[in-house]
Amino acid sequence: MPNILQRSNFPHIQRISTRWKDNDIYGHVNNVEYYSYFDTVINSYLIGYGGLDIHRGDVIGVCAESHCRYLKALAFPHAVDAALRVSRIGRTSVRYDIALFQQDDDEAAAEGWFVHVFVDRAERRPTPLPQALRTALEALHIKSPES
């Protein structure tokens, strides 16, 4: 099994509150919610630091690929710390590495990756990353051992 990522491997961490509805019948967060946490940490970073205007901007990000490896159970009512870094920045796309940590645990409960392709809102054709967005992404760009 590959090494489990540690909290210190990531330059950006956002705390996300779990919700009652996140748990499934088995008493832990349902796997589909992990992808929701991925979306939350990525898009809140892009909006807050990269100036992405999800309602009126000319450029939007669409998911091209995603993956999650589940390592430990997460559960309500504990918070989740979603950690983010960028492993690749292209002309029109970016690959993020994400890890989810149980509140105050340094070892990942889940880890994965997510690829955004940025497209023109109207035409849905790939378009170069706007400079403000590229600058924000470069702040998280770390060469990972996996890349």
mmCIF file with all atom_site columns, all heavy atoms in Angstrom, residues 16 33-44 66-69 82-84 98-100 110-114:
data_model
loop_
_atom_site.group_PDB
_atom_site.id
_atom_site.type_symbol
_atom_site.label_atom_id
_atom_site.label_alt_id
_atom_site.label_comp_id
_atom_site.label_asym_id
_atom_site.label_entity_id
_atom_site.label_seq_id
_atom_site.pdbx_PDB_ins_code
_atom_site.Cartn_x
_atom_site.Cartn_y
_atom_site.Cartn_z
_atom_site.occupancy
_atom_site.B_iso_or_equiv
_atom_site.pdbx_formal_charge
_atom_site.auth_seq_id
_atom_site.auth_comp_id
_atom_site.auth_asym_id
_atom_site.auth_atom_id
_atom_site.pdbx_PDB_model_num
ATOM 1   N N   . ILE A 1 16  ? -14.460 21.618 7.083   1.00 0.00 ? 16  ILE A N   1
ATOM 2   C CA  . ILE A 1 16  ? -15.825 21.459 6.581   1.00 0.00 ? 16  ILE A CA  1
ATOM 3   C C   . ILE A 1 16  ? -16.625 20.715 7.643   1.00 0.00 ? 16  ILE A C   1
ATOM 4   O O   . ILE A 1 16  ? -16.207 19.651 8.112   1.00 0.00 ? 16  ILE A O   1
ATOM 5   C CB  . ILE A 1 16  ? -15.842 20.662 5.261   1.00 0.00 ? 16  ILE A CB  1
ATOM 6   C CG1 . ILE A 1 16  ? -15.019 21.391 4.187   1.00 0.00 ? 16  ILE A CG1 1
ATOM 7   C CG2 . ILE A 1 16  ? -17.272 20.431 4.785   1.00 0.00 ? 16  ILE A CG2 1
ATOM 8   C CD1 . ILE A 1 16  ? -14.812 20.578 2.913   1.00 0.00 ? 16  ILE A CD1 1
ATOM 9   N N   . GLU A 1 33  ? -20.345 11.566 -0.453  1.00 0.00 ? 33  GLU A N   1
ATOM 10  C CA  . GLU A 1 33  ? -20.091 12.840 0.220   1.00 0.00 ? 33  GLU A CA  1
ATOM 11  C C   . GLU A 1 33  ? -18.621 13.240 0.152   1.00 0.00 ? 33  GLU A C   1
ATOM 12  O O   . GLU A 1 33  ? -18.299 14.421 0.171   1.00 0.00 ? 33  GLU A O   1
ATOM 13  C CB  . GLU A 1 33  ? -20.552 12.782 1.676   1.00 0.00 ? 33  GLU A CB  1
ATOM 14  C CG  . GLU A 1 33  ? -22.034 12.542 1.849   1.00 0.00 ? 33  GLU A CG  1
ATOM 15  C CD  . GLU A 1 33  ? -22.924 13.599 1.224   1.00 0.00 ? 33  GLU A CD  1
ATOM 16  O OE1 . GLU A 1 33  ? -22.482 14.764 1.069   1.00 0.00 ? 33  GLU A OE1 1
ATOM 17  O OE2 . GLU A 1 33  ? -24.074 13.266 0.887   1.00 0.00 ? 33  GLU A OE2 1
ATOM 18  N N   . TYR A 1 34  ? -17.724 12.267 0.042   1.00 0.00 ? 34  TYR A N   1
ATOM 19  C CA  . TYR A 1 34  ? -16.298 12.582 -0.067  1.00 0.00 ? 34  TYR A CA  1
ATOM 20  C C   . TYR A 1 34  ? -16.054 13.449 -1.308  1.00 0.00 ? 34  TYR A C   1
ATOM 21  O O   . TYR A 1 34  ? -15.265 14.391 -1.274  1.00 0.00 ? 34  TYR A O   1
ATOM 22  C CB  . TYR A 1 34  ? -15.468 11.302 -0.160  1.00 0.00 ? 34  TYR A CB  1
ATOM 23  C CG  . TYR A 1 34  ? -15.376 10.519 1.138   1.00 0.00 ? 34  TYR A CG  1
ATOM 24  C CD1 . TYR A 1 34  ? -16.507 9.990  1.750   1.00 0.00 ? 34  TYR A CD1 1
ATOM 25  C CD2 . TYR A 1 34  ? -14.142 10.297 1.734   1.00 0.00 ? 34  TYR A CD2 1
ATOM 26  C CE1 . TYR A 1 34  ? -16.409 9.258  2.928   1.00 0.00 ? 34  TYR A CE1 1
ATOM 27  C CE2 . TYR A 1 34  ? -14.035 9.564  2.911   1.00 0.00 ? 34  TYR A CE2 1
ATOM 28  C CZ  . TYR A 1 34  ? -15.181 9.058  3.504   1.00 0.00 ? 34  TYR A CZ  1
ATOM 29  O OH  . TYR A 1 34  ? -15.074 8.338  4.672   1.00 0.00 ? 34  TYR A OH  1
ATOM 30  N N   . TYR A 1 35  ? -16.733 13.138 -2.400  1.00 0.00 ? 35  TYR A N   1
ATOM 31  C CA  . TYR A 1 35  ? -16.597 13.937 -3.624  1.00 0.00 ? 35  TYR A CA  1
ATOM 32  C C   . TYR A 1 35  ? -17.175 15.337 -3.428  1.00 0.00 ? 35  TYR A C   1
ATOM 33  O O   . TYR A 1 35  ? -16.676 16.316 -3.991  1.00 0.00 ? 35  TYR A O   1
ATOM 34  C CB  . TYR A 1 35  ? -17.238 13.223 -4.810  1.00 0.00 ? 35  TYR A CB  1
ATOM 35  C CG  . TYR A 1 35  ? -16.401 12.068 -5.301  1.00 0.00 ? 35  TYR A CG  1
ATOM 36  C CD1 . TYR A 1 35  ? -16.656 10.765 -4.897  1.00 0.00 ? 35  TYR A CD1 1
ATOM 37  C CD2 . TYR A 1 35  ? -15.332 12.291 -6.164  1.00 0.00 ? 35  TYR A CD2 1
ATOM 38  C CE1 . TYR A 1 35  ? -15.867 9.709  -5.337  1.00 0.00 ? 35  TYR A CE1 1
ATOM 39  C CE2 . TYR A 1 35  ? -14.541 11.239 -6.616  1.00 0.00 ? 35  TYR A CE2 1
ATOM 40  C CZ  . TYR A 1 35  ? -14.817 9.955  -6.192  1.00 0.00 ? 35  TYR A CZ  1
ATOM 41  O OH  . TYR A 1 35  ? -14.035 8.912  -6.627  1.00 0.00 ? 35  TYR A OH  1
ATOM 42  N N   . SER A 1 36  ? -18.209 15.444 -2.624  1.00 0.00 ? 36  SER A N   1
ATOM 43  C CA  . SER A 1 36  ? -18.762 16.752 -2.307  1.00 0.00 ? 36  SER A CA  1
ATOM 44  C C   . SER A 1 36  ? -17.738 17.586 -1.530  1.00 0.00 ? 36  SER A C   1
ATOM 45  O O   . SER A 1 36  ? -17.583 18.790 -1.773  1.00 0.00 ? 36  SER A O   1
ATOM 46  C CB  . SER A 1 36  ? -20.044 16.584 -1.490  1.00 0.00 ? 36  SER A CB  1
ATOM 47  O OG  . SER A 1 36  ? -20.557 17.835 -1.111  1.00 0.00 ? 36  SER A OG  1
ATOM 48  N N   . TYR A 1 37  ? -17.028 16.961 -0.606  1.00 0.00 ? 37  TYR A N   1
ATOM 49  C CA  . TYR A 1 37  ? -15.975 17.678 0.120   1.00 0.00 ? 37  TYR A CA  1
ATOM 50  C C   . TYR A 1 37  ? -14.850 18.104 -0.831  1.00 0.00 ? 37  TYR A C   1
ATOM 51  O O   . TYR A 1 37  ? -14.297 19.193 -0.703  1.00 0.00 ? 37  TYR A O   1
ATOM 52  C CB  . TYR A 1 37  ? -15.390 16.817 1.247   1.00 0.00 ? 37  TYR A CB  1
ATOM 53  C CG  . TYR A 1 37  ? -16.387 16.323 2.270   1.00 0.00 ? 37  TYR A CG  1
ATOM 54  C CD1 . TYR A 1 37  ? -16.184 15.105 2.911   1.00 0.00 ? 37  TYR A CD1 1
ATOM 55  C CD2 . TYR A 1 37  ? -17.524 17.052 2.616   1.00 0.00 ? 37  TYR A CD2 1
ATOM 56  C CE1 . TYR A 1 37  ? -17.075 14.637 3.873   1.00 0.00 ? 37  TYR A CE1 1
ATOM 57  C CE2 . TYR A 1 37  ? -18.426 16.583 3.558   1.00 0.00 ? 37  TYR A CE2 1
ATOM 58  C CZ  . TYR A 1 37  ? -18.195 15.372 4.187   1.00 0.00 ? 37  TYR A CZ  1
ATOM 59  O OH  . TYR A 1 37  ? -19.068 14.899 5.127   1.00 0.00 ? 37  TYR A OH  1
ATOM 60  N N   . PHE A 1 38  ? -14.512 17.233 -1.799  1.00 0.00 ? 38  PHE A N   1
ATOM 61  C CA  . PHE A 1 38  ? -13.518 17.603 -2.812  1.00 0.00 ? 38  PHE A CA  1
ATOM 62  C C   . PHE A 1 38  ? -13.969 18.869 -3.540  1.00 0.00 ? 38  PHE A C   1
ATOM 63  O O   . PHE A 1 38  ? -13.208 19.826 -3.689  1.00 0.00 ? 38  PHE A O   1
ATOM 64  C CB  . PHE A 1 38  ? -13.330 16.489 -3.844  1.00 0.00 ? 38  PHE A CB  1
ATOM 65  C CG  . PHE A 1 38  ? -12.552 15.281 -3.394  1.00 0.00 ? 38  PHE A CG  1
ATOM 66  C CD1 . PHE A 1 38  ? -12.147 15.088 -2.089  1.00 0.00 ? 38  PHE A CD1 1
ATOM 67  C CD2 . PHE A 1 38  ? -12.230 14.305 -4.323  1.00 0.00 ? 38  PHE A CD2 1
ATOM 68  C CE1 . PHE A 1 38  ? -11.431 13.962 -1.698  1.00 0.00 ? 38  PHE A CE1 1
ATOM 69  C CE2 . PHE A 1 38  ? -11.503 13.175 -3.958  1.00 0.00 ? 38  PHE A CE2 1
ATOM 70  C CZ  . PHE A 1 38  ? -11.105 13.000 -2.645  1.00 0.00 ? 38  PHE A CZ  1
ATOM 71  N N   . ASP A 1 39  ? -15.214 18.856 -4.030  1.00 0.00 ? 39  ASP A N   1
ATOM 72  C CA  . ASP A 1 39  ? -15.763 20.016 -4.743  1.00 0.00 ? 39  ASP A CA  1
ATOM 73  C C   . ASP A 1 39  ? -15.719 21.270 -3.874  1.00 0.00 ? 39  ASP A C   1
ATOM 74  O O   . ASP A 1 39  ? -15.394 22.357 -4.352  1.00 0.00 ? 39  ASP A O   1
ATOM 75  C CB  . ASP A 1 39  ? -17.216 19.766 -5.149  1.00 0.00 ? 39  ASP A CB  1
ATOM 76  C CG  . ASP A 1 39  ? -17.370 19.039 -6.460  1.00 0.00 ? 39  ASP A CG  1
ATOM 77  O OD1 . ASP A 1 39  ? -16.419 19.035 -7.262  1.00 0.00 ? 39  ASP A OD1 1
ATOM 78  O OD2 . ASP A 1 39  ? -18.455 18.481 -6.688  1.00 0.00 ? 39  ASP A OD2 1
ATOM 79  N N   . THR A 1 40  ? -16.067 21.121 -2.612  1.00 0.00 ? 40  THR A N   1
ATOM 80  C CA  . THR A 1 40  ? -16.124 22.272 -1.712  1.00 0.00 ? 40  THR A CA  1
ATOM 81  C C   . THR A 1 40  ? -14.756 22.915 -1.531  1.00 0.00 ? 40  THR A C   1
ATOM 82  O O   . THR A 1 40  ? -14.618 24.134 -1.671  1.00 0.00 ? 40  THR A O   1
ATOM 83  C CB  . THR A 1 40  ? -16.709 21.859 -0.350  1.00 0.00 ? 40  THR A CB  1
ATOM 84  O OG1 . THR A 1 40  ? -18.055 21.415 -0.546  1.00 0.00 ? 40  THR A OG1 1
ATOM 85  C CG2 . THR A 1 40  ? -16.694 23.013 0.641   1.00 0.00 ? 40  THR A CG2 1
ATOM 86  N N   . VAL A 1 41  ? -13.732 22.132 -1.232  1.00 0.00 ? 41  VAL A N   1
ATOM 87  C CA  . VAL A 1 41  ? -12.418 22.718 -0.995  1.00 0.00 ? 41  VAL A CA  1
ATOM 88  C C   . VAL A 1 41  ? -11.848 23.325 -2.281  1.00 0.00 ? 41  VAL A C   1
ATOM 89  O O   . VAL A 1 41  ? -11.260 24.412 -2.255  1.00 0.00 ? 41  VAL A O   1
ATOM 90  C CB  . VAL A 1 41  ? -11.430 21.727 -0.337  1.00 0.00 ? 41  VAL A CB  1
ATOM 91  C CG1 . VAL A 1 41  ? -11.005 20.612 -1.266  1.00 0.00 ? 41  VAL A CG1 1
ATOM 92  C CG2 . VAL A 1 41  ? -10.207 22.474 0.206   1.00 0.00 ? 41  VAL A CG2 1
ATOM 93  N N   . ILE A 1 42  ? -12.035 22.668 -3.403  1.00 0.00 ? 42  ILE A N   1
ATOM 94  C CA  . ILE A 1 42  ? -11.511 23.193 -4.668  1.00 0.00 ? 42  ILE A CA  1
ATOM 95  C C   . ILE A 1 42  ? -12.211 24.484 -5.047  1.00 0.00 ? 42  ILE A C   1
ATOM 96  O O   . ILE A 1 42  ? -11.570 25.506 -5.300  1.00 0.00 ? 42  ILE A O   1
ATOM 97  C CB  . ILE A 1 42  ? -11.660 22.153 -5.801  1.00 0.00 ? 42  ILE A CB  1
ATOM 98  C CG1 . ILE A 1 42  ? -10.737 20.962 -5.564  1.00 0.00 ? 42  ILE A CG1 1
ATOM 99  C CG2 . ILE A 1 42  ? -11.397 22.793 -7.167  1.00 0.00 ? 42  ILE A CG2 1
ATOM 100 C CD1 . ILE A 1 42  ? -11.039 19.760 -6.447  1.00 0.00 ? 42  ILE A CD1 1
ATOM 101 N N   . ASN A 1 43  ? -13.529 24.445 -5.117  1.00 0.00 ? 43  ASN A N   1
ATOM 102 C CA  . ASN A 1 43  ? -14.257 25.614 -5.620  1.00 0.00 ? 43  ASN A CA  1
ATOM 103 C C   . ASN A 1 43  ? -14.240 26.787 -4.666  1.00 0.00 ? 43  ASN A C   1
ATOM 104 O O   . ASN A 1 43  ? -14.171 27.941 -5.104  1.00 0.00 ? 43  ASN A O   1
ATOM 105 C CB  . ASN A 1 43  ? -15.674 25.214 -6.024  1.00 0.00 ? 43  ASN A CB  1
ATOM 106 C CG  . ASN A 1 43  ? -15.635 24.411 -7.298  1.00 0.00 ? 43  ASN A CG  1
ATOM 107 O OD1 . ASN A 1 43  ? -15.196 24.897 -8.328  1.00 0.00 ? 43  ASN A OD1 1
ATOM 108 N ND2 . ASN A 1 43  ? -16.050 23.157 -7.227  1.00 0.00 ? 43  ASN A ND2 1
ATOM 109 N N   . SER A 1 44  ? -14.243 26.559 -3.364  1.00 0.00 ? 44  SER A N   1
ATOM 110 C CA  . SER A 1 44  ? -14.138 27.699 -2.450  1.00 0.00 ? 44  SER A CA  1
ATOM 111 C C   . SER A 1 44  ? -12.756 28.343 -2.568  1.00 0.00 ? 44  SER A C   1
ATOM 112 O O   . SER A 1 44  ? -12.632 29.568 -2.477  1.00 0.00 ? 44  SER A O   1
ATOM 113 C CB  . SER A 1 44  ? -14.463 27.295 -1.014  1.00 0.00 ? 44  SER A CB  1
ATOM 114 O OG  . SER A 1 44  ? -13.585 26.318 -0.551  1.00 0.00 ? 44  SER A OG  1
ATOM 115 N N   . SER A 1 66  ? -11.916 12.230 -11.800 1.00 0.00 ? 66  SER A N   1
ATOM 116 C CA  . SER A 1 66  ? -11.770 12.276 -10.348 1.00 0.00 ? 66  SER A CA  1
ATOM 117 C C   . SER A 1 66  ? -11.554 10.864 -9.821  1.00 0.00 ? 66  SER A C   1
ATOM 118 O O   . SER A 1 66  ? -11.914 9.884  -10.476 1.00 0.00 ? 66  SER A O   1
ATOM 119 C CB  . SER A 1 66  ? -12.975 12.932 -9.675  1.00 0.00 ? 66  SER A CB  1
ATOM 120 O OG  . SER A 1 66  ? -14.140 12.180 -9.913  1.00 0.00 ? 66  SER A OG  1
ATOM 121 N N   . HIS A 1 67  ? -10.957 10.800 -8.658  1.00 0.00 ? 67  HIS A N   1
ATOM 122 C CA  . HIS A 1 67  ? -10.643 9.512  -8.049  1.00 0.00 ? 67  HIS A CA  1
ATOM 123 C C   . HIS A 1 67  ? -10.559 9.705  -6.536  1.00 0.00 ? 67  HIS A C   1
ATOM 124 O O   . HIS A 1 67  ? -10.129 10.750 -6.060  1.00 0.00 ? 67  HIS A O   1
ATOM 125 C CB  . HIS A 1 67  ? -9.289  9.001  -8.553  1.00 0.00 ? 67  HIS A CB  1
ATOM 126 C CG  . HIS A 1 67  ? -8.799  7.792  -7.834  1.00 0.00 ? 67  HIS A CG  1
ATOM 127 N ND1 . HIS A 1 67  ? -9.273  6.532  -8.084  1.00 0.00 ? 67  HIS A ND1 1
ATOM 128 C CD2 . HIS A 1 67  ? -7.888  7.664  -6.840  1.00 0.00 ? 67  HIS A CD2 1
ATOM 129 C CE1 . HIS A 1 67  ? -8.662  5.674  -7.278  1.00 0.00 ? 67  HIS A CE1 1
ATOM 130 N NE2 . HIS A 1 67  ? -7.814  6.329  -6.522  1.00 0.00 ? 67  HIS A NE2 1
ATOM 131 N N   . CYS A 1 68  ? -10.973 8.672  -5.785  1.00 0.00 ? 68  CYS A N   1
ATOM 132 C CA  . CYS A 1 68  ? -10.865 8.712  -4.335  1.00 0.00 ? 68  CYS A CA  1
ATOM 133 C C   . CYS A 1 68  ? -10.463 7.346  -3.819  1.00 0.00 ? 68  CYS A C   1
ATOM 134 O O   . CYS A 1 68  ? -10.984 6.327  -4.276  1.00 0.00 ? 68  CYS A O   1
ATOM 135 C CB  . CYS A 1 68  ? -12.190 9.138  -3.702  1.00 0.00 ? 68  CYS A CB  1
ATOM 136 S SG  . CYS A 1 68  ? -12.113 9.319  -1.907  1.00 0.00 ? 68  CYS A SG  1
ATOM 137 N N   . ARG A 1 69  ? -9.525  7.337  -2.876  1.00 0.00 ? 69  ARG A N   1
ATOM 138 C CA  . ARG A 1 69  ? -9.122  6.121  -2.184  1.00 0.00 ? 69  ARG A CA  1
ATOM 139 C C   . ARG A 1 69  ? -9.511  6.302  -0.717  1.00 0.00 ? 69  ARG A C   1
ATOM 140 O O   . ARG A 1 69  ? -9.085  7.242  -0.053  1.00 0.00 ? 69  ARG A O   1
ATOM 141 C CB  . ARG A 1 69  ? -7.605  5.917  -2.316  1.00 0.00 ? 69  ARG A CB  1
ATOM 142 C CG  . ARG A 1 69  ? -7.110  4.629  -1.692  1.00 0.00 ? 69  ARG A CG  1
ATOM 143 C CD  . ARG A 1 69  ? -5.678  4.326  -2.112  1.00 0.00 ? 69  ARG A CD  1
ATOM 144 N NE  . ARG A 1 69  ? -4.719  5.203  -1.500  1.00 0.00 ? 69  ARG A NE  1
ATOM 145 C CZ  . ARG A 1 69  ? -3.810  4.813  -0.601  1.00 0.00 ? 69  ARG A CZ  1
ATOM 146 N NH1 . ARG A 1 69  ? -3.732  3.562  -0.230  1.00 0.00 ? 69  ARG A NH1 1
ATOM 147 N NH2 . ARG A 1 69  ? -2.972  5.680  -0.085  1.00 0.00 ? 69  ARG A NH2 1
ATOM 148 N N   . ALA A 1 82  ? -10.336 19.366 4.825   1.00 0.00 ? 82  ALA A N   1
ATOM 149 C CA  . ALA A 1 82  ? -10.052 19.064 3.423   1.00 0.00 ? 82  ALA A CA  1
ATOM 150 C C   . ALA A 1 82  ? -8.776  19.786 3.026   1.00 0.00 ? 82  ALA A C   1
ATOM 151 O O   . ALA A 1 82  ? -8.672  21.003 3.167   1.00 0.00 ? 82  ALA A O   1
ATOM 152 C CB  . ALA A 1 82  ? -11.219 19.502 2.545   1.00 0.00 ? 82  ALA A CB  1
ATOM 153 N N   . ALA A 1 83  ? -7.795  19.017 2.561   1.00 0.00 ? 83  ALA A N   1
ATOM 154 C CA  . ALA A 1 83  ? -6.480  19.561 2.221   1.00 0.00 ? 83  ALA A CA  1
ATOM 155 C C   . ALA A 1 83  ? -6.310  19.564 0.708   1.00 0.00 ? 83  ALA A C   1
ATOM 156 O O   . ALA A 1 83  ? -6.749  18.642 0.019   1.00 0.00 ? 83  ALA A O   1
ATOM 157 C CB  . ALA A 1 83  ? -5.399  18.726 2.886   1.00 0.00 ? 83  ALA A CB  1
ATOM 158 N N   . LEU A 1 84  ? -5.665  20.602 0.201   1.00 0.00 ? 84  LEU A N   1
ATOM 159 C CA  . LEU A 1 84  ? -5.578  20.804 -1.240  1.00 0.00 ? 84  LEU A CA  1
ATOM 160 C C   . LEU A 1 84  ? -4.176  21.213 -1.647  1.00 0.00 ? 84  LEU A C   1
ATOM 161 O O   . LEU A 1 84  ? -3.513  22.013 -0.973  1.00 0.00 ? 84  LEU A O   1
ATOM 162 C CB  . LEU A 1 84  ? -6.576  21.905 -1.634  1.00 0.00 ? 84  LEU A CB  1
ATOM 163 C CG  . LEU A 1 84  ? -6.713  22.270 -3.104  1.00 0.00 ? 84  LEU A CG  1
ATOM 164 C CD1 . LEU A 1 84  ? -7.277  21.098 -3.911  1.00 0.00 ? 84  LEU A CD1 1
ATOM 165 C CD2 . LEU A 1 84  ? -7.632  23.490 -3.242  1.00 0.00 ? 84  LEU A CD2 1
ATOM 166 N N   . ILE A 1 98  ? -6.079  15.956 -3.329  1.00 0.00 ? 98  ILE A N   1
ATOM 167 C CA  . ILE A 1 98  ? -6.904  16.285 -2.181  1.00 0.00 ? 98  ILE A CA  1
ATOM 168 C C   . ILE A 1 98  ? -6.762  15.180 -1.146  1.00 0.00 ? 98  ILE A C   1
ATOM 169 O O   . ILE A 1 98  ? -6.647  14.010 -1.495  1.00 0.00 ? 98  ILE A O   1
ATOM 170 C CB  . ILE A 1 98  ? -8.394  16.395 -2.563  1.00 0.00 ? 98  ILE A CB  1
ATOM 171 C CG1 . ILE A 1 98  ? -8.589  17.362 -3.730  1.00 0.00 ? 98  ILE A CG1 1
ATOM 172 C CG2 . ILE A 1 98  ? -9.248  16.829 -1.387  1.00 0.00 ? 98  ILE A CG2 1
ATOM 173 C CD1 . ILE A 1 98  ? -9.142  16.712 -4.930  1.00 0.00 ? 98  ILE A CD1 1
ATOM 174 N N   . ALA A 1 99  ? -6.771  15.550 0.111   1.00 0.00 ? 99  ALA A N   1
ATOM 175 C CA  . ALA A 1 99  ? -6.839  14.577 1.193   1.00 0.00 ? 99  ALA A CA  1
ATOM 176 C C   . ALA A 1 99  ? -7.867  15.064 2.199   1.00 0.00 ? 99  ALA A C   1
ATOM 177 O O   . ALA A 1 99  ? -8.021  16.277 2.419   1.00 0.00 ? 99  ALA A O   1
ATOM 178 C CB  . ALA A 1 99  ? -5.482  14.401 1.869   1.00 0.00 ? 99  ALA A CB  1
ATOM 179 N N   . LEU A 1 100 ? -8.594  14.127 2.763   1.00 0.00 ? 100 LEU A N   1
ATOM 180 C CA  . LEU A 1 100 ? -9.571  14.436 3.800   1.00 0.00 ? 100 LEU A CA  1
ATOM 181 C C   . LEU A 1 100 ? -9.071  13.858 5.111   1.00 0.00 ? 100 LEU A C   1
ATOM 182 O O   . LEU A 1 100 ? -8.665  12.694 5.168   1.00 0.00 ? 100 LEU A O   1
ATOM 183 C CB  . LEU A 1 100 ? -10.937 13.841 3.445   1.00 0.00 ? 100 LEU A CB  1
ATOM 184 C CG  . LEU A 1 100 ? -11.538 14.286 2.119   1.00 0.00 ? 100 LEU A CG  1
ATOM 185 C CD1 . LEU A 1 100 ? -12.849 13.566 1.862   1.00 0.00 ? 100 LEU A CD1 1
ATOM 186 C CD2 . LEU A 1 100 ? -11.723 15.804 2.070   1.00 0.00 ? 100 LEU A CD2 1
ATOM 187 N N   . ALA A 1 110 ? -8.958  9.826  3.611   1.00 0.00 ? 110 ALA A N   1
ATOM 188 C CA  . ALA A 1 110 ? -9.198  9.580  2.191   1.00 0.00 ? 110 ALA A CA  1
ATOM 189 C C   . ALA A 1 110 ? -8.267  10.482 1.405   1.00 0.00 ? 110 ALA A C   1
ATOM 190 O O   . ALA A 1 110 ? -7.895  11.561 1.865   1.00 0.00 ? 110 ALA A O   1
ATOM 191 C CB  . ALA A 1 110 ? -10.648 9.876  1.816   1.00 0.00 ? 110 ALA A CB  1
ATOM 192 N N   . GLU A 1 111 ? -7.901  10.031 0.223   1.00 0.00 ? 111 GLU A N   1
ATOM 193 C CA  . GLU A 1 111 ? -7.066  10.851 -0.646  1.00 0.00 ? 111 GLU A CA  1
ATOM 194 C C   . GLU A 1 111 ? -7.473  10.602 -2.090  1.00 0.00 ? 111 GLU A C   1
ATOM 195 O O   . GLU A 1 111 ? -7.979  9.529  -2.428  1.00 0.00 ? 111 GLU A O   1
ATOM 196 C CB  . GLU A 1 111 ? -5.586  10.560 -0.420  1.00 0.00 ? 111 GLU A CB  1
ATOM 197 C CG  . GLU A 1 111 ? -5.196  9.116  -0.564  1.00 0.00 ? 111 GLU A CG  1
ATOM 198 C CD  . GLU A 1 111 ? -3.791  8.841  -0.055  1.00 0.00 ? 111 GLU A CD  1
ATOM 199 O OE1 . GLU A 1 111 ? -3.448  9.309  1.047   1.00 0.00 ? 111 GLU A OE1 1
ATOM 200 O OE2 . GLU A 1 111 ? -3.048  8.165  -0.765  1.00 0.00 ? 111 GLU A OE2 1
ATOM 201 N N   . GLY A 1 112 ? -7.293  11.617 -2.891  1.00 0.00 ? 112 GLY A N   1
ATOM 202 C CA  . GLY A 1 112 ? -7.685  11.462 -4.280  1.00 0.00 ? 112 GLY A CA  1
ATOM 203 C C   . GLY A 1 112 ? -7.158  12.581 -5.136  1.00 0.00 ? 112 GLY A C   1
ATOM 204 O O   . GLY A 1 112 ? -6.329  13.386 -4.704  1.00 0.00 ? 112 GLY A O   1
ATOM 205 N N   . TRP A 1 113 ? -7.683  12.621 -6.345  1.00 0.00 ? 113 TRP A N   1
ATOM 206 C CA  . TRP A 1 113 ? -7.314  13.676 -7.279  1.00 0.00 ? 113 TRP A CA  1
ATOM 207 C C   . TRP A 1 113 ? -8.537  14.064 -8.091  1.00 0.00 ? 113 TRP A C   1
ATOM 208 O O   . TRP A 1 113 ? -9.539  13.344 -8.135  1.00 0.00 ? 113 TRP A O   1
ATOM 209 C CB  . TRP A 1 113 ? -6.153  13.295 -8.170  1.00 0.00 ? 113 TRP A CB  1
ATOM 210 C CG  . TRP A 1 113 ? -6.201  11.914 -8.769  1.00 0.00 ? 113 TRP A CG  1
ATOM 211 C CD1 . TRP A 1 113 ? -5.588  10.792 -8.273  1.00 0.00 ? 113 TRP A CD1 1
ATOM 212 C CD2 . TRP A 1 113 ? -6.886  11.494 -9.945  1.00 0.00 ? 113 TRP A CD2 1
ATOM 213 N NE1 . TRP A 1 113 ? -5.850  9.721  -9.080  1.00 0.00 ? 113 TRP A NE1 1
ATOM 214 C CE2 . TRP A 1 113 ? -6.646  10.119 -10.116 1.00 0.00 ? 113 TRP A CE2 1
ATOM 215 C CE3 . TRP A 1 113 ? -7.680  12.144 -10.876 1.00 0.00 ? 113 TRP A CE3 1
ATOM 216 C CZ2 . TRP A 1 113 ? -7.166  9.382  -11.169 1.00 0.00 ? 113 TRP A CZ2 1
ATOM 217 C CZ3 . TRP A 1 113 ? -8.207  11.414 -11.930 1.00 0.00 ? 113 TRP A CZ3 1
ATOM 218 C CH2 . TRP A 1 113 ? -7.942  10.058 -12.070 1.00 0.00 ? 113 TRP A CH2 1
ATOM 219 N N   . PHE A 1 114 ? -8.436  15.228 -8.696  1.00 0.00 ? 114 PHE A N   1
ATOM 220 C CA  . PHE A 1 114 ? -9.553  15.828 -9.420  1.00 0.00 ? 114 PHE A CA  1
ATOM 221 C C   . PHE A 1 114 ? -8.952  16.672 -10.530 1.00 0.00 ? 114 PHE A C   1
ATOM 222 O O   . PHE A 1 114 ? -8.012  17.425 -10.283 1.00 0.00 ? 114 PHE A O   1
ATOM 223 C CB  . PHE A 1 114 ? -10.337 16.704 -8.436  1.00 0.00 ? 114 PHE A CB  1
ATOM 224 C CG  . PHE A 1 114 ? -11.622 17.276 -8.945  1.00 0.00 ? 114 PHE A CG  1
ATOM 225 C CD1 . PHE A 1 114 ? -12.833 16.722 -8.547  1.00 0.00 ? 114 PHE A CD1 1
ATOM 226 C CD2 . PHE A 1 114 ? -11.641 18.381 -9.771  1.00 0.00 ? 114 PHE A CD2 1
ATOM 227 C CE1 . PHE A 1 114 ? -14.033 17.268 -8.975  1.00 0.00 ? 114 PHE A CE1 1
ATOM 228 C CE2 . PHE A 1 114 ? -12.829 18.927 -10.208 1.00 0.00 ? 114 PHE A CE2 1
ATOM 229 C CZ  . PHE A 1 114 ? -14.033 18.364 -9.810  1.00 0.00 ? 114 PHE A CZ  1
#
